[in-house]
Amino acid sequence: MLVHLEFPGTDFEADRAEFLELARSAGAEVVAVIGGSRDRPDAGLYAGSGKVDEVAAAVQSAGAELAIFNHDLSPSQERNLEKRLQCRVLDRAGLILDIFARRARSHEGKLQVELAQMQHLATRLVRGWTHLERQKGGIGLRGPGETQLETDRRLVRGRIATLKRHLEEVRARRAQNRQARARSEIPTVSLVGYTNAGKSTLFNVLTGDDSFASNLLFATLDTTVRKVALPTGETAVLADTVGFIRDLPHDLIAAFRATLEESREADLLLHVVDAADSERNARIEQVEAVLREIGAHEVPRLMVYNKIDLRQDGAEAEAARVERDESGRPARVFLSARTGEGLDLLRSAIASCLYPDLVEDELLLPPSAARLRAQLFALHAVRSERVESDGGLRLTVRLPYSRLERLCREAGVAPPPRAVAASAAAS
């Protein structure tokens, strides 16, 4: 039994549709959806007493085993509702946690979900306990002892501390991996966006990977990192991350801190948007709110409008294209990850964002600059090489001008003139 109430300033139909998708993604068999409207939540039952009686009658009539509220309930509200409805009650945060528990595959993902579940459970331990006076007994344990509730709280606190310690180790390993990528000067691109916007499908077609992708909310929980080749010859590291959603539980944001840091430490964010979603502007704002919360709001981003092949309701189909800002930098790419239309435009746009000063020019090296030659080959920057009559080398190199200038300065070699580089970049 799904219960969704409308409050002032909310979009009832859009939120209701998303609620149904969440329930479907959790594997629930929905027997009915009960709606209503209120100015503010009731302190004891969240919904009004009359609405709760209506839900109770519907639960009994349909034989429902679970009532899910599309709102965040306090522990006392959950207990009061369970007494009135005579069935289990789950709130929105609990539903999302359940979906996460079903989707987690990696050891890290399972640790993160369990931590969020434990933090959520810690405030709800009192529910259902009718034997709080029961004391520990047995030899050596007689005396005041502790109640069952106190025991459970102590065990949950201990488990939370253990999970946090393990996740700190995971965070340290991720930081080491990012440092190694920084030393190799390989930029990182992170996919972000509202859940079910098509991030994993886009990730798979860009990298040739076969990560799980499905038309379900939160199909991806475990961050996957793969290299992607750019049309300029450079490579980047692409990270697929967990999708965001409206009112994402704070326990989840805290638990997935190590994963979300991939976005905060990235060189570029690809904000994937479902172009066929009538609520796409609201979804963009909700993703931006999460990015601000995790400290990733200042990372450069490229908007990617996916699913242009799914335009409905007689709307004119979007064409694959790149829209640029006033400085000429790519700002928005329209594409379809499913059909492949516009993917080449995206790869070029990523290269333009990551390497705005990319140049291709000739570089004359003296015979003593063998180390610089080796560095350029290691970076796959050399397009051609010719030996001069004096033993020097004439290389055609393709590289961001700032990096080329630094390498030349360290080797004591004159780089190509900046004016030449600028004209090459503009072309």
Side-chain angles (χ1 to χ4, degrees), residues 88-381:
R88 283 186 57 229
V89 172
L90 196 65
D91 69 352
R92 178 183 174 86
L95 176 61
I96 293 175
L97 284 170
D98 183 80
I99 297 172
F100 273 54
R102 291 167 61 93
R103 298 280 191 272
R105 294 289 181 270
S106 69
H107 176 63
E108 177 188 350
K110 291 176 181 178
L111 284 176
Q112 291 169 323
V113 172
E114 186 182 355
L115 175 59
Q117 287 177 318
M118 284 291 177
Q119 290 172 329
H120 187 69
L121 176 66
T123 61
R124 287 161 165 76
L125 279 176
V126 70
R127 184 179 61 188
W129 290 109
T130 59
H131 54 288
L132 302 184
E133 293 78 19
R134 185 170 63 187
Q135 306 286 321
K136 281 190 174 183
I139 298 173
L141 294 176
R142 291 186 176 89
E146 60 182 350
T147 65
Q148 181 67 46
L149 177 59
E150 290 167 343
T151 301
D152 291 335
R153 281 176 173 162
R154 176 172 52 81
L155 292 174
V156 168
R157 284 197 301 268
R159 183 59 181 162
I160 288 175
T162 300
L163 290 169
K164 285 184 175 179
R165 186 169 64 252
H166 289 330
L167 284 173
E168 280 300 320
E169 295 171 359
V170 170
R171 187 184 178 205
R173 285 197 299 271
R174 283 193 177 276
Q176 290 176 347
N177 292 338
R178 284 194 295 270
Q179 289 173 359
R181 293 198 296 265
R183 285 194 297 270
S184 62
E185 298 185 326
I186 299 178
T188 300
V189 180
S190 183
L191 290 167
V192 299
Y194 209 79
T195 181
N196 204 29
K199 296 184 298 299
S200 293
T201 302
L202 182 61
F203 177 86
N204 289 342
V205 296
L206 285 176
T207 64
D209 198 51
D210 58 353
S211 299
F212 177 67
S214 176
N215 187 29
L216 292 172
L217 301 185
F218 300 115
T220 300
L221 287 190
D222 303 313
T223 298
T224 308
V225 178
R226 297 287 185 273
K227 281 188 177 182
V228 58
L230 301 178
T232 55
E234 283 71 28
T235 59
V237 171
L238 188 64
D240 188 16
T241 61
V242 61
F244 301 155
I245 197 170
R246 176 182 61 84
D247 299 331
L248 190 65
H250 288 280
D251 289 341
L252 278 176
I253 293 177
F256 278 74
R257 183 179 60 164
T259 300
L260 295 173
E261 279 183 352
E262 290 290 345
S263 300
R264 193 175 67 192
E265 302 295 333
D267 298 287
L268 176 68
L269 297 180
L270 297 186
H271 183 166
V272 184
V273 179
D274 183 350
D277 186 355
S278 60
E279 298 294 318
R280 68 185 191 184
N281 291 331
R283 305 291 185 238
I284 290 173
E285 287 300 318
Q286 288 149 6
V287 170
E288 291 295 329
V290 177
L291 291 175
R292 285 191 294 270
E293 188 166 351
I294 65 175
H297 57 288
E298 294 184 353
V299 179
R301 70 201 61 182
L302 175 64
M303 303 297 295
V304 180
Y305 288 83
N306 187 25
K307 304 185 183 182
I308 61 172
D309 56 312
L310 298 182
R311 301 294 290 175
Q312 297 174 351
D313 301 328
E316 185 178 349
E318 296 271 12
R321 65 188 187 278
V322 177
E323 294 181 353
R324 299 177 180 272
D325 59 21
E326 53 277 4
S327 65
R329 178 185 180 276
R332 290 169 292 277
V333 180
F334 292 78
L335 56 81
S336 170
R338 188 176 67 88
T339 66
E341 185 182 6
L343 289 178
D344 289 341
L345 296 176
L346 176 60
R347 292 188 180 96
S348 298
I350 293 173
S352 297
C353 291
L354 292 176
Y355 304 104
D357 59 344
L358 188 68
V359 298
E360 183 170 333
D361 208 342
E362 286 192 342
L363 180 65
L364 186 61
L365 299 184
S368 59
R371 184 171 180 273
L372 174 57
R373 175 184 178 276
Q375 289 176 320
L376 293 171
F377 271 98
L379 292 171
H380 305 287

Side-chain angles (χ1 to χ4, degrees), residues 1-3 16 19-20 29-35 58-59 62 64 68:
M1 188 67 61
L2 304 185
V3 182
R16 180 180 181 275
F19 186 28
L20 281 167
E29 179 184 343
V30 180
V31 295
V33 182
I34 295 181
V59 166
I68 308 176

